[in-house]
Amino acid sequence: MKPLDQLLFTWHDGGFRPVAATGDLGKPRSWLADQALRLCRYYPPAHLGAGVHAPISYGWWTDGSTRWVFRRGHLGNDPTGRPGNFFAHILAGHRDALPLTAVAGRFGSSHWWDGGPIPKLWDRVELADIPPATLEPVSGEQLESFLTTVLRGRGTTCAVLREPPAVTIACVAVISRRLPGLLDGLQFSTYEAPQHAVGFDLVGMHSSDPPPRGAVAEEAIDADDVELGARMLLSDQPEDQDLARILLAAATVDGTESAVDRMAAFLPSFRRHSDDDAIDTITALVLRFPDTAETLLKYPFGVRSVIRLLVAGDQSAWSALVWLPPGTQVAVGTELALKQDGYSLAEMLRQVRSGPPAFQHAFHAALLTSCSPVRLGRLRLSDRLELLRAAAQMRVSQQVVDALYGRDAGDLTRIADCRDLPTSWRGHALARRLMTRADPAPALERLCHDFRLAIATAQALDKPMPLIRALEEQPHQTVMQVVLTTVEGFNEDARISLISAVLEKVNPLSRPHELAAALRRAPPQSMGWDVVATTAVLDAIGEALERHRPAEAISSQIRALLTTVGGPCSSALHRVIDHLSGAVGQKEQVASENQLRCAMEAIADIKDREQRKLLANLTLGLLPETAAGVEYSEQICTWIRLVSGAGEDQFAETLLRLAADGGVGHGRSSLLYVASVIRMVGDGRIELTRSVVNRRRRLRNPIWQRLAVSAARGMNSRDLARATVLARRAGDETSRWWTALID
């Protein structure tokens, strides 16, 4: 379940404002927060009776894949005594994480804030974390009235409800459960004041408030039809439930945004079975859903409609033949034999399958060389697969083959799965599927598990961009598995493009590892890999420093990667990392210092200034890992400051932060950093002052002073004693400062 952000809005510190928020709802300029703040309003009814509580405004607003759920209410007077105080508690997240039935069940949840102390800490939540509450029981008459109002509004005009919020939300819960998807496209609120009601498709209003101009009252369909239709949709009779299921499938076939409008339009003709054109429209939509289509074909009017669609050349009707009873299949076949318009080719193919092999081959050969590609592309998949198998045994134009592939993602997947086709043809089908807008997961799954098909698909793609787009939202494991199976099928430039794009989505510390794995599958052949490898390693170094794990940036795997690539940039970077690794690995002080000197010389040879700065910082972070002495470390720190271009103050703060952190990582000695800071204090490069309270020496910058205290407290007794000696050598002022620091 996806997490949900929260926002609380009410009177606080002299005005209305957000007082608690999580995630993007806490970012003042974010789109999510801007949309949420539009919902932070509440106006009680103008003529609310004495002792009557102002109604709760509970509902949702959906924009694309995002849904905001709000609960708003009146809080009486604000802390200054002025009337009009209110609260708005808002959740925001993916609409799939906020299904209407579940959201409606949280109307009275204890999770919602409605006064009391403002929470100091607020976390993101999941819907499952919000306890549901019992909803008001509603009668059949209330449900019928509710659904009639919804249908009259058709989802295009504001439909006003007059029931209390608790009853309204209970009706929503029941309708969402019995007719799933019907209300999903509506903007809904249990209560709004007149000035805001018109912005909602379905809205509750107080009985004393006038409805917005143009709100639903009279619509294009007769009121009796609407009421009877609503009654049928809510009926417990088996036949009515079948008809409701069919209508719901047709209304929601292309999504839920216009479901109410389509339902209202379909109801009159479908309920009376009076309009063949309308019924055929519904049937054509329902035939996309096998289970619902089977329900439709239980009734004579459904069978008659399918026959009309078959004669008219509707492909979904052809697919529906398998659901017809044997006797009906005979009748339909007879009817179609008399009316072949639009289906003579399919009929011929059906007949040809019963003929001898030689006849079939000759027919297929002539058809593939003479029939227009457009006409071939209109055939059912089974027919096209049959013709593709035949085309694989002969020479046909690529235009014809492309027509037989088609563009439907599901069809292309089935073609790719057809193992009696050449692997190159299957790869071509999967490549075409990757270039559609369909969910890429089925195609990627096949690339993960079929190495030969993956290479053929890459060869058919030629350019990696469709594959890169398909991998954008996929799990890391899937991404890298697909890269490893397909990389050999691309040329060198395409490989570089693919892997460079994929590495951008990988955690920087993992990039060298993933790049090395890809290069083991397809060894580098061009100098273009030099930049890719160098960038990956530098990114890993930056991430390692951010995470205070510098040793991970000099691993043997990183050194092996740079050796494998072997370009000028990789080689220069390898020299630096190799010497730093040597410095860390040496136990003797002289040997370790010698390796550090070589590393500094190698860094100085790097032409790029930012790279030199990053590598200098890596050296600084690794100092506690080496056996270098204090004096030599001070020289290195001075050199690092010059290489990084940092000023005295900036570098002093860097050293203090490293020292306060106990070195770059847990448990490492900070003495080398502290020693450099002491030297800078003794040289007057870090300015001292006197404390106002006790007149003791302290650093002029209070942040630096706190960091120095933290560093001193984190040192062990041995390092603390050595630092004290260094402070005495640096002069009386420095010694007094250090003594005051550790007291």
Side-chain angles (χ1 to χ4, degrees):
M1 186 66 71
K2 298 178 180 178
L4 308 171
D5 283 323
Q6 301 190 80
L7 181 142
L8 179 60
F9 185 98
T10 190
W11 180 276
H12 185 66
D13 286 344
F16 286 105
R17 68 190 65 201
V19 295
T22 66
D24 284 348
L25 285 181
K27 299 177 181 178
R29 297 182 180 178
S30 72
W31 173 78
L32 197 70
D34 285 345
Q35 299 302 310
L37 291 176
R38 292 176 55 212
L39 299 169
C40 294
R41 60 173 186 262
Y42 184 89
Y43 298 90
H47 303 289
L48 196 63
V52 178
H53 293 293
I56 288 293
S57 175
Y58 184 80
W60 45 83
W61 188 276
T62 307
D63 188 346
S65 62
T66 304
R67 177 167 286 161
W68 294 261
V69 176
F70 54 85
R71 193 175 193 273
R72 308 174 298 196
H74 190 51
L75 291 178
N77 295 339
D78 64 34
T80 67
R82 290 179 296 183
N85 193 10
F86 71 92
F87 70 88
H89 188 167
I90 294 178
L91 300 178
H94 198 282
R95 66 188 299 168
D96 293 343
L98 291 165
L100 297 195
T101 304
V103 170
R106 269 68 176 180
F107 169 75
S109 173
S110 59
H111 175 78
W112 301 108
W113 189 90
D114 56 3
I118 293 173
K120 295 182 179 180
L121 294 175
W122 236 14
D123 296 323
R124 304 178 83 188
V125 297
E126 295 183 1
L127 191 60
D129 300 329
I130 302 175
T134 303
L135 295 173
E136 289 277 339
V138 289
S139 66
E141 290 77 10
Q142 287 173 314
L143 286 173
E144 186 178 318
S145 175
F146 173 87
L147 186 55
T148 299
T149 304
V150 171
L151 293 172
R152 285 176 177 165
R154 302 185 70 142
T156 59
T157 303
C158 178
V160 176
L161 306 166
R162 295 295 190 180
E163 294 282 5
V167 173
T168 299
I169 198 66
C171 290
V172 170
V174 174
I175 297 302
S176 297
R177 184 172 61 254
R178 297 192 61 165
L179 301 171
L182 182 65
L183 304 181
D184 265 19
L186 301 184
Q187 315 291 11
F188 166 74
S189 176
T190 60
Y191 165 73
E192 293 292 331
Q195 63 266 39
H196 294 121
V198 73
F200 289 85
D201 304 312
L202 186 61
V203 62
M205 295 188 69
H206 192 263
S207 58
S208 64
D209 289 334
R213 179 178 297 179
V216 53
E218 297 292 335
E219 288 297 328
I221 53 179
D222 184 79
D224 287 341
D225 280 326
V226 178
E227 292 171 1
L228 292 173
R231 192 171 303 160
M232 182 198 78
L233 292 173
L234 295 170
S235 170
D236 292 328
Q237 295 298 318
E239 182 173 342
D240 287 341
Q241 289 182 341
D242 283 345
L243 298 180
R245 182 183 178 195
I246 293 165
L247 280 168
L248 184 65
T252 59
V253 66
D254 294 321
T256 59
E257 299 305 318
S258 302
V260 174
D261 189 34
R262 287 194 292 266
M263 179 70 83
F266 292 155
L267 258 174
S269 299
F270 193 73
R271 188 180 61 81
R272 296 192 299 264
H273 308 159
S274 59
D275 186 336
D276 287 348
D277 289 340
I279 292 174
D280 290 351
T281 299
I282 295 169
T283 300
L285 295 172
V286 169
L287 288 176
R288 304 183 193 182
F289 307 101
D291 291 344
T292 311
E294 188 174 358
T295 301
L296 172 67
L297 294 174
K298 288 166 48 178
Y299 299 95
F301 74 88
V303 175
R304 291 193 298 269
S305 177
V306 169
I307 291 175
R308 289 193 298 270
L309 291 173
L310 288 171
V311 172
D314 187 278
Q315 286 290 328
S316 60
W318 280 98
S319 300
L321 284 176
V322 68
W323 306 317
L324 296 180
T328 306
Q329 290 178 357
V330 172
V332 170
T334 301
E335 185 72 19
L336 291 175
L338 296 175
K339 297 182 179 181
Q340 298 181 1
D341 296 345
Y343 275 85
S344 58
L345 178 58
E347 180 63 14
M348 278 188 278
L349 283 170
R350 188 189 66 79
Q351 294 177 7
V352 165
R353 292 192 193 101
S354 61
F359 173 79
Q360 292 183 43
H361 179 76
F363 178 82
H364 291 153
L367 184 66
L368 289 169
T369 55
S370 63
C371 187
S372 74
V374 173
R375 193 177 182 193
L376 291 173
R378 292 171 180 165
L379 293 171
R380 293 175 301 178
L381 177 61
S382 59
D383 293 332
R384 287 187 278 120
L385 274 172
E386 182 179 345
L387 293 173
L388 277 170
R389 294 186 185 100
Q393 306 300 319
M394 54 186 294
R395 289 187 177 183
V396 296
S397 71
Q398 188 60 48
Q399 188 179 12
V400 168
V401 175
D402 288 344
L404 293 174
Y405 282 134
R407 297 181 179 179
D408 180 79
D411 289 354
L412 289 166
T413 303
R414 289 180 60 190
I415 293 171
D417 289 342
C418 191
R419 294 186 175 273
D420 53 357
L421 287 174
T423 303
S424 60
W425 287 37
R426 295 169 57 213
H428 191 79
L430 208 56
R432 288 173 66 91
R433 192 198 189 286
L434 286 170
M435 289 186 280
T436 69
R437 296 183 179 181
D439 178 13
L444 297 177
E445 180 182 1
R446 286 156 176 79
L447 294 178
C448 284
H449 297 101
D450 191 329
F451 181 69
R452 293 178 58 201
L453 178 61
I455 291 178
T457 303
Q459 291 170 340
L461 282 172
D462 188 36
K463 303 295 183 183
M465 282 309 301
L467 184 58
I468 292 172
R469 287 193 295 268
L471 293 171
E472 283 181 351
E473 303 298 329
Q474 301 303 314
H476 172 72
Q477 184 177 0
T478 299
V479 171
M480 297 315 304
Q481 182 64 28
V482 170
V483 169
L484 292 177
T485 56
T486 59
V487 67
E488 290 185 56
F490 289 109
N491 62 37
E492 192 78 352
D493 289 341
R495 291 175 189 171
I496 292 174
S497 298
L498 172 64
I499 293 177
S500 297
V502 166
L503 289 179
E504 291 180 2
K505 307 296 183 181
V506 176
N507 182 287
L509 273 177
S510 301
R511 289 175 188 174
H513 168 76
E514 303 296 2
L515 177 57
L519 294 182
R520 284 195 295 271
R521 187 61 63 90
Q525 302 295 327
S526 76
M527 295 304 296
W529 292 106
D530 191 26
V531 175
V532 177
T534 303
T535 302
V537 172
L538 291 171
D539 290 344
I541 292 172
E543 184 70 10
L545 291 176
E546 283 287 329
R547 297 190 181 190
H548 294 184
R549 289 148 51 184
E552 295 184 21
I554 58 172
S555 66
S556 60
Q557 188 177 59
I558 287 180
R559 301 200 302 276
L561 169 64
L562 295 172
T563 300
T564 299
V565 174
C569 296
S570 299
S571 298
L573 186 55
H574 179 271
R575 284 193 294 274
V576 175
I577 292 177
D578 195 45
H579 287 306
L580 288 175
S581 176
V584 170
Q586 291 290 345
K587 302 299 183 182
E588 297 294 329
Q589 178 177 336
V590 173
S592 182
E593 291 176 353
N594 184 57
Q595 289 288 344
L596 284 171
R597 179 184 55 77
C598 293
M600 289 188 291
E601 291 173 355
I603 293 172
D605 291 337
I606 300 290
K607 296 181 180 179
D608 186 273
R609 179 180 178 182
E610 291 302 316
Q611 291 184 19
R612 290 199 305 272
K613 181 178 178 180
L614 180 64
L615 294 170
N617 287 333
L618 175 61
T619 305
L620 185 63
L622 288 169
L623 272 181
E625 304 275 1
T626 71
V630 171
E631 294 78 8
Y632 192 74
S633 297
E634 291 178 9
Q635 297 176 29
I636 292 177
C637 287
T638 302
W639 176 84
I640 289 173
R641 184 185 68 78
L642 295 175
V643 170
S644 64
E648 292 279 8
D649 288 354
Q650 181 183 359
F651 192 66
E653 183 169 343
T654 298
L655 290 172
L656 283 166
R657 290 192 182 279
L658 289 170
D661 290 338
V664 186
H666 301 294
R668 297 183 178 93
S669 171
S670 60
L671 176 63
L672 300 182
Y673 303 128
V674 170
S676 292
V677 171
I678 289 173
R679 173 61 62 86
M680 295 176 76
V681 172
D683 292 345
R685 289 179 285 163
I686 300 179
E687 190 174 355
L688 294 175
T689 186
R690 289 182 180 274
S691 171
V692 176
V693 177
N694 54 25
R695 307 302 294 168
R696 289 186 174 185
R697 301 295 192 279
R698 60 179 291 122
L699 298 181
R700 181 172 293 278
N701 187 314
I703 296 176
W704 297 1
Q705 178 69 14
R706 287 196 294 271
L707 291 172
V709 171
S710 178
R713 289 176 178 175
M715 297 175 71
N716 59 43
S717 57
R718 179 173 176 271
D719 288 346
L720 198 61
R722 294 181 65 189
T724 301
V725 171
L726 293 174
R728 289 171 182 166
R729 292 176 183 174
D732 291 342
E733 289 291 308
T734 305
S735 180
R736 281 193 287 273
W737 164 70
W738 180 256
T739 301
L741 194 71
I742 62 178
D743 280 348

